[in-house]
């Protein structure tokens, strides 16, 4: 059984809840990602902030920038590093998420995106095609 730890990215960009929201937006844009896990000082997951979460800034731009915690989603669907990739794929499809954090005892250790799973499927297909 393929597990999350087998395909997750471990070099995960994250942001603190008290970080400036425009800093988080800059990180997303500069790194071409659509969301960031929000962690505390121990890398414990406390939320996630996505492009969708900050869309309301278009109408609320003020002199006061605001913190990530003012925009983030607090109830986050996450998976453990031992969870089956098939379960993660089903969760991504069911909830229309683009990515999910991967945890070990509540600590952020990785992330899996839909693109990561699609790449794995492609690699499996290429391997099977080459051996046929």
């Amino acid at each position: 059984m393929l597990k999350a730890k087998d395909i997750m990215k471990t070099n995960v960009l994250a942001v603190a809840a008290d970080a400036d929201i425009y800093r988080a937006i800059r990180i997303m844009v500069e790194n071409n990602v659509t969301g960031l896990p929000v962690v505390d000082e121990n890398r414990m997951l406390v939320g996630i902030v996505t492009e969708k979460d900050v869309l309301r800034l278009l109408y609320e731009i003020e002199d006061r920038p605001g913190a990530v915690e003012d925009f983030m989603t607090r109830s986050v669907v996450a998976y453990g590093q031992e969870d089956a990739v098939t379960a993660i794929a089903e969760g991504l499809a069911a909830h229309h998420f683009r990515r999910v954090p991967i945890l070990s005892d509540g600590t952020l250790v990785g992330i899996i995106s839909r693109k990561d799973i699609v790449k794995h499927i492609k690699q499996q297909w290429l391997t099977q095609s080459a051996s046929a």
Side-chain angles (χ1 to χ4, degrees):
M1 171 181 69
L2 188 65
K3 296 180 180 182
K5 67 182 180 183
D6 298 325
I7 69 166
M8 70 184 187
K9 290 183 178 141
T10 57
N11 187 14
V12 183
L13 295 169
V15 66
D18 62 353
D20 179 79
I21 190 61
Y22 292 105
R23 178 175 180 267
I25 291 170
R26 187 172 54 251
I27 292 169
M28 285 191 273
V29 170
E30 289 174 356
N31 291 280
N32 196 30
V33 295
T34 59
L36 296 168
V38 182
V39 295
D40 67 13
E41 61 277 354
N42 298 314
R43 297 229 5 126
M44 298 291 283
L45 186 68
V46 297
I48 193 162
V49 63
T50 67
E51 291 172 331
K52 185 177 177 180
D53 294 322
V54 299
L55 285 178
R56 70 177 189 227
L57 280 171
L58 179 63
Y59 302 104
E60 296 180 8
I61 294 177
E62 302 172 0
D63 293 332
R64 180 191 69 81
V68 168
E69 62 193 345
D70 298 330
F71 298 89
M72 72 183 191
T73 300
R74 294 176 190 279
S75 178
V76 180
V77 173
Y79 291 86
Q81 61 184 350
E82 297 295 326
D83 287 344
V85 172
T86 53
I88 295 168
E90 290 170 7
L92 286 167
H95 297 289
H96 305 289
F97 300 141
R98 293 181 184 215
R99 87 230 34 87
V100 289
I102 306 300
L103 309 177
S104 175
D105 297 322
T107 302
L108 180 67
V109 294
I111 199 159
I112 293 180
S113 68
R114 293 185 299 201
K115 185 180 279 189
D116 296 327
I117 295 173
V118 170
K119 282 181 183 178
H120 177 74
I121 293 167
K122 177 187 171 204
Q123 289 171 342
Q124 277 189 317
W125 178 78
L126 288 173
T127 301
Q128 289 176 354
S129 295
S131 65

